[in-house]
C-alpha cells in the first residue's frame, strides 16, 4: 500500500508569500526532495529548504505581472541540475539548481508559459502557452512546435520512460468543443493516439510511477479516470466526494494519487476500493481553492498551496 502523507508537518508563512507582497500558486520539489521551488505573483522564483523550513534563494529575471501571476509553471530536471520556470512574460528560464544562475532563456511563445515538463531521460523540455506546445532541445535551445488538432492545453505529462507526452488539449476558441487527450511521440513530435470522448477536455493528467496508468480529470471534475496504458481502456473511475470537484492530479513515487478538490485535497490508493482520505487546507479565505499540489520524489512528503494562504507540508 502506498504511503498517504496526511500528517501536517509545517507551513511556510513568510511575508513574501502572503498578503499584498505576493502569493504562491505553483510549486515543485527538487530531485533530492530537499528544496521546494515556489512561484506566483512575486517577481522571483523562491527556493525553500523543506526541512528547516527557511528560504534559501530568490531567483530574479522574469518580468513581474501581479494581475496574472509572474511565475506560471515550475519543474526540476530529473537529474536535479536544472529548474525551469515558465513566466507570464512569454519566456522559460532555466536556472542552475546548484548556484541559482540563469543558464538559458527560451522564447518564441505567444503568451504566458503555463506548463513545463522535463523529459525523464533526454535533454528535452516540453513547454506550452495558451495556444501551442513546443519541445526544446536543451543542448541547442531550439524549440519545435508539436502539431495538434486543437489549440490550447490544460496539462502536460511525460510517461516515466519518456516514450509519450500526454497533452490535455483545451479546444480554446471552439465553443462546445470536447477535444481528446493527445499522446505524442516526443522523438517525432507527432500524435500517435488520442483518448477520450464527450467527457473531455481534460483538466489535468498524470502518469503513475510505473507507467501502467494515466490518471485524467474529466472536464466536469466529478471523477478521475484511470486509463490502462497497454490497452488504453478505462480500468477504474475514482469518484470525487459529493459536492467536490477535482482539478489537478499528481501521483507519488509510491503510487498514491492526490487530487485538488476545491479547498481540500483527496488522497487515494488506486489499487483499492477504499474512499479517499480528505485533507482540509486551512485558509483565511473560505472560498479559496487549492492552487496546486506536489509529492516529493520519494513520495514521503506532500506540498499544497491554497490561494491566499501558506504553503503546507504533510508527511
Amino acid at each position: 500500500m502506498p504511503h498517504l502523507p496526511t500528517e501536517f508537518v509545517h507551513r511556510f508563512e513568510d511575508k513574501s508569500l502572503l498578503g499584498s507582497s505576493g502569493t504562491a500558486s505553483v510549486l515543485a520539489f527538487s530531485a533530492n526532495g530537499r528544496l521546494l521551488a515556489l512561484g506566483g505573483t512575486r517577481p522571483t522564483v523562491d527556493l525553500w529548504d523543506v526541512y528547516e523550513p527557511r528560504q534559501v534563494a530568490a531567483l530574479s529575471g522574469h518580468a513581474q505581472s501581479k494581475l496574472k501571476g509572474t511565475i506560471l509553471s515550475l519543474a526540476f530536471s530529473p537529474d536535479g541540475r536544472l529548474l525551469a520556470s515558465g513566466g507570464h512574460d512569454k519566456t522559460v528560464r532555466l536556472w542552475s539548481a546548484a548556484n541559482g544562475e540563469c543558464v538559458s532563456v527560451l522564447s518564441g511563445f505567444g503568451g504566458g508559459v503555463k506548463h513545463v515538463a522535463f523529459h525523464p531521460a533526454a535533454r528535452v523540455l516540453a513547454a506550452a502557452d495558451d495556444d501551442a506546445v513546443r519541445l526544446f532541445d536543451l543542448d541547442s535551445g531550439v524549440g519545435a512546435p508539436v502539431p495538434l488538432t486543437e489549440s490550447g492545453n490544460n496539462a502536460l505529462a511525460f510517461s516515466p520512460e519518456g516514450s509519450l507526452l500526454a497533452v490535455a488539449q483545451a479546444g480554446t476558441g471552439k465553443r462546445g468543443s470536447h477535444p481528446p487527450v493527445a499522446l505524442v511521440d516526443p522523438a517525432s513530435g507527432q500524435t500517435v493516439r488520442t483518448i477520450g470522448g464527450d467527457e473531455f477536455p481534460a483538466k489535468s493528467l498524470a502518469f503513475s510511477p510505473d507507467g501502467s496508468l494515466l490518471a485524467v480529470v474529466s472536464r466536469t471534475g466529478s471523477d478521475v479516470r484511470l486509463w490502462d496504458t497497454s490497452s488504453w481502456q478505462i480500468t477504474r473511475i475514482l469518484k470525487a466526494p459529493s459536492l467536490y470537484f477535482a482539478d489537478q492530479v499528481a501521483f507519488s513515487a509510491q503510487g498514491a494519487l492526490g487530487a485538488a478538490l476545491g479547498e481540500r485535497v483527496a488522497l487515494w490508493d488506486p489499487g483499492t476500493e477504499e474512499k479517499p482520505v480528505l485533507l482540509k487546507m486551512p485558509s483565511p479565505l473560505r472560498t479559496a481553492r487549492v492552487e496546486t499540489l506536489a509529492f516529493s520524489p520519494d513520495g514521503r512528503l506532500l506540498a499544497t498551496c491554497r490561494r491566499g494562504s501558506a504553503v503546507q507540508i504533510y508527511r
Side-chain angles (χ1 to χ4, degrees), residues 16 22 33-34 59 62 69 117 122 158 204 220 230 253 260 265 293 298 312:
S16 66
R34 184 78 197 191
L59 311 182
H62 285 287
F158 279 105
S204 178
T220 62
S230 59
V265 167
L293 73 160
D298 62 4
Q312 305 220 146

Side-chain angles (χ1 to χ4, degrees), residues 115 153-156 168-169 181 199-205 216-223 245-249 260 289:
H115 310 286
N153 63 88
N154 292 332
L156 300 175
Q169 298 179 103
V181 170
E199 71 274 16
F200 286 73
K203 287 184 176 182
S204 178
L205 45 78
V216 179
V217 180
S218 63
R219 64 186 176 89
T220 62
S222 60
D223 56 55
F245 300 95
D247 289 313
Q248 185 191 5
V249 289
R289 303 178 67 84

Side-chain angles (χ1 to χ4, degrees), residues 27-264:
L27 47 81
F29 275 99
S30 63
N32 64 6
R34 184 78 197 191
L35 294 178
L36 187 67
L38 306 176
T41 57
R42 276 174 51 75
T44 57
V45 177
D46 297 332
L47 299 181
W48 285 69
D49 186 303
V50 176
Y51 293 95
E52 295 288 340
R54 62 187 177 88
Q55 186 174 343
V56 297
L59 311 182
S60 301
H62 285 287
Q64 187 172 16
S65 172
K66 291 185 178 181
L67 294 179
K68 298 292 185 179
T70 302
I71 312 301
L72 305 181
S73 54
L74 292 167
F76 277 94
S77 61
D79 62 10
R81 296 181 180 180
L82 293 175
L83 168 64
S85 59
H88 184 265
D89 60 4
K90 306 178 184 180
T91 68
V92 172
R93 287 183 172 265
L94 297 176
W95 313 87
S96 166
N99 57 27
E101 292 184 2
C102 181
V103 297
S104 182
V105 178
L106 308 178
S107 57
F109 299 94
V113 184
K114 294 185 174 181
H115 310 286
V116 289
F118 281 96
H119 190 285
R123 286 182 51 80
V124 172
L125 179 77
D129 57 22
D130 279 328
D131 296 320
V133 178
R134 289 175 174 80
L135 290 169
F136 285 89
D137 181 320
L138 296 182
D139 291 322
S140 66
V142 175
V146 176
L148 296 169
T149 57
E150 303 282 348
S151 61
N153 63 88
N154 292 332
L156 300 175
F158 279 105
S159 59
E161 81 291 346
S163 63
L164 290 175
L165 172 67
V167 181
Q169 298 179 103
T172 320
K174 294 186 178 181
R175 189 173 182 179
S177 174
H178 294 163
V181 170
L183 300 173
V184 177
D185 174 9
S188 66
Q190 299 299 310
T191 298
V192 295
R193 179 188 292 268
T194 60
I195 60 172
D198 293 340
E199 71 274 16
F200 286 73
K203 287 184 176 182
S204 178
L205 45 78
F207 282 97
S208 62
D210 63 1
S212 64
L213 296 174
L214 176 64
V216 179
V217 180
S218 63
R219 64 186 176 89
T220 62
S222 60
D223 56 55
V224 180
R225 306 188 178 203
L226 300 181
W227 293 73
D228 183 296
T229 58
S230 59
S231 65
W232 291 111
Q233 299 295 316
I234 296 175
T235 61
R236 192 172 169 204
I237 297 178
L238 305 176
K239 291 289 185 181
S242 179
L243 303 180
Y244 292 99
F245 300 95
D247 289 313
Q248 185 191 5
V249 289
F251 273 103
S252 77
Q254 299 174 0
L257 179 64
L261 302 177
E263 76 278 12
R264 295 177 184 266

Side-chain angles (χ1 to χ4, degrees), residues 236-314:
R236 192 172 169 204
I237 297 178
L238 305 176
K239 291 289 185 181
S242 179
L243 303 180
Y244 292 99
F245 300 95
D247 289 313
Q248 185 191 5
V249 289
F251 273 103
S252 77
Q254 299 174 0
L257 179 64
L261 302 177
E263 76 278 12
R264 295 177 184 266
V265 167
L267 296 174
W268 279 278
D269 176 357
T272 72
E273 298 295 330
E274 295 181 6
K275 293 182 179 180
V277 176
L278 294 180
L279 301 179
K280 187 174 182 180
M281 307 289 114
S283 172
L285 305 176
R286 292 185 179 180
T287 59
R289 303 178 67 84
V290 177
E291 293 276 0
T292 188
L293 73 160
F295 290 97
S296 60
D298 62 4
R300 305 300 300 178
L301 298 178
L302 170 68
T304 68
C305 180
R306 187 174 172 188
R307 182 180 292 276
S309 185
V311 174
Q312 305 220 146
I313 305 295
Y314 295 81

